[in-house]
Amino acid sequence: MSDIASWLGAEAEDLLTHECRGIAKEQLHLPGADFVDRVMMDSDRTPAVLRGMQTLFDHGRLGGTGYLSILPVDQGIEHSAGASFAPNPIYFDPANIVELAIEGGCNAVASTLGGLSSVARRYAHRIPMMLKLNHNETLTYPALYDQTLFAEVDQAFDMGCVAVGATIYFGSPESRRQIEEISAAFERAHELGMVTVLWAYLRNPGFKHEGTDYHVASDLTSQAVHLAATLKADIVKQKLPENNDGYRKIGFGNTHEKVYSELTSDHPIDLARYQVANAYMGRAGLINSGGASSGEGDLTQAVRTAVINKRAGGMGLISGRKAFQKPMREGVALLNAIQDVYLAPDVTIA
């Protein structure tokens, strides 16, 4: 706990002692060693899906806790291979990506069709693999922001993946097509016994309003989380909220005054708690994004995000660039620091 407090610095007391009053922790379906039996057993998931989820929970340093630490590396497509791997060229080789996840004690590694398939026979039995089905490729000029299917669910199954992941850009003109594509893909994944994970991101130029970026507003990101749960995502990945009141500031959609006056506050844990509430009160696990690498402050930011996610009632963290854009030893240390938050009994649910 002392290390966690020191990493949080001046925010330590506020983040470690805050109590949520809008949505009480007693209302949530919290992560735990018995999550599959206690929560997922109520759903229509097949025994194979339940087994897949338990496989994720049982692997790595967080095995047996009900929390997840996942290494995702699909940035070679999303940001170009050069932009992603030039800081540490060993990760042009997908084997080193998987080795980082193993050495870092992660529950799973998520990557691309080509990346995972190139090393699947060596690693599928050593660490749970998650195939990312779609991507926004960045070679199109002028730039085009759309998620395109690069893989089929059956390919993930054939190479031994435990889970599939996908992104939907909610709010974008292409989102309705993406919803249809991923709904069908997730249904097929569940038929084959694989866990489904949705990157529930927002994308619309109108969400930046009067100098504020509401792509990270709690009310808007939480609605994206709710849509992800509606699509039967077993786990929802979302960016940590940084502000609120996107609906009213932008002037669209539907909301309610109590969202802002009672259910949330300006505290970061309360903003994240609202995301958990929209994930069917935790029936779909909320994992927050580790975000981009900014250099020396990465470890502090990663620990801060993990503390907020855990205390809000979330299920873990998915952190890529902060880990793989460093020497492997430093990347392992960062992943372990994140996991230490979820292993720390003194970091409680707010």
Side-chain angles (χ1 to χ4, degrees):
M1 180 65 147
S2 59
D3 286 343
I4 295 171
S6 65
W7 283 324
L8 295 175
E11 287 189 289
E13 182 176 359
D14 183 44
L15 291 178
L16 294 172
T17 64
H18 177 75
E19 294 184 14
C20 293
R21 303 189 184 281
I23 298 171
K25 61 187 177 183
E26 291 78 13
Q27 296 177 290
L28 303 178
H29 302 283
L30 294 169
D34 62 343
F35 186 84
V36 171
D37 289 330
R38 175 170 44 88
V39 180
M40 290 193 72
M41 283 282 287
D42 289 343
S43 75
D44 67 350
R45 293 349 183 233
T46 66
V49 174
L50 301 181
R51 180 186 61 203
M53 191 72 164
Q54 193 64 53
T55 299
L56 292 176
F57 282 141
D58 287 345
H59 197 83
R61 291 184 73 230
L62 296 182
T65 66
Y67 289 105
L68 299 172
S69 168
I70 299 172
L71 176 73
V73 185
D74 64 343
Q75 286 86 354
I77 299 175
E78 295 276 347
H79 301 283
S80 92
S84 299
F85 303 134
N88 201 357
I90 67 168
Y91 293 116
F92 278 106
D93 184 345
N96 287 319
I97 292 170
V98 184
E99 287 289 344
L100 174 59
I102 293 172
E103 292 299 315
C106 292
N107 300 74
V109 60
S111 196
T112 63
L113 174 64
L116 291 180
S117 67
S118 69
V119 295
R121 289 184 184 273
R122 174 170 294 190
Y123 291 110
H125 60 291
R126 294 180 57 193
I127 184 171
M129 299 194 312
M130 179 191 308
L131 176 61
K132 184 69 164 40
L133 296 171
N134 64 358
H135 309 282
N136 174 43
E137 61 84 18
T138 56
L139 196 58
T140 302
Y141 183 82
L144 175 68
Y145 299 100
D146 190 8
Q147 287 287 326
T148 303
L149 288 169
F150 274 59
E152 295 181 2
V153 173
D154 287 55
Q155 291 174 293
F157 179 78
D158 289 343
M159 76 170 74
C161 290
V162 172
V164 296
T167 299
I168 293 178
Y169 285 152
F170 291 107
S172 71
E174 300 81 15
S175 64
R176 298 199 174 205
R177 189 205 79 242
Q178 294 167 11
I179 288 169
E180 292 178 356
E181 290 175 348
I182 302 311
S183 176
F186 278 9
E187 185 63 23
R188 179 58 178 159
H190 280 153
E191 289 174 357
L192 293 173
M194 288 185 287
V195 174
T196 58
V197 184
L198 188 65
W199 278 242
Y201 286 171
L202 301 178
R203 184 175 290 277
N204 190 308
F207 291 172
K208 294 183 178 180
H209 181 69
E210 294 183 351
T212 300
D213 187 357
Y214 292 104
H215 286 93
V216 287
S218 181
D219 55 351
L220 299 187
T221 57
S222 295
Q223 179 60 20
V225 168
H226 194 75
L227 293 175
T230 300
L231 288 166
K232 290 180 67 174
D234 301 309
I235 301 167
V236 184
K237 179 191 177 189
Q238 184 55 274
K239 295 181 180 180
L240 200 67
E242 299 177 14
N243 53 54
N244 206 358
D245 209 14
Y247 277 119
R248 298 188 300 187
K249 295 295 185 182
I250 297 168
F252 84 113
N254 303 284
T255 189
H256 195 285
E257 172 60 33
K258 286 189 175 181
V259 171
Y260 314 99
S261 63
E262 296 184 16
L263 301 185
T264 64
S265 73
D266 60 359
H267 196 283
I269 295 175
D270 288 340
L271 298 179
R273 173 64 58 85
Y274 191 60
Q275 290 182 339
V276 175
N278 277 268
Y280 294 167
M281 285 294 190
R283 289 185 183 274
L286 174 73
I287 56 176
N288 287 122
S289 169
S293 175
S294 57
E296 292 184 2
D298 281 351
L299 193 146
T300 295
Q301 283 300 115
V303 169
R304 180 183 186 273
T305 303
V307 168
I308 293 170
N309 172 272
K310 181 181 181 181
R311 300 210 69 225
M315 190 171 279
L317 216 61
I318 187 163
S319 187
R321 280 172 286 173
K322 280 182 167 61
F324 73 75
Q325 289 188 333
K326 293 176 171 58
M328 187 172 288
R329 181 177 297 180
E330 294 180 22
V332 167
L334 184 139
L335 292 169
N336 289 169
I338 290 169
Q339 295 152 10
D340 287 345
V341 172
Y342 295 98
L343 292 170
D346 292 339
V347 180
T348 58
I349 309 300

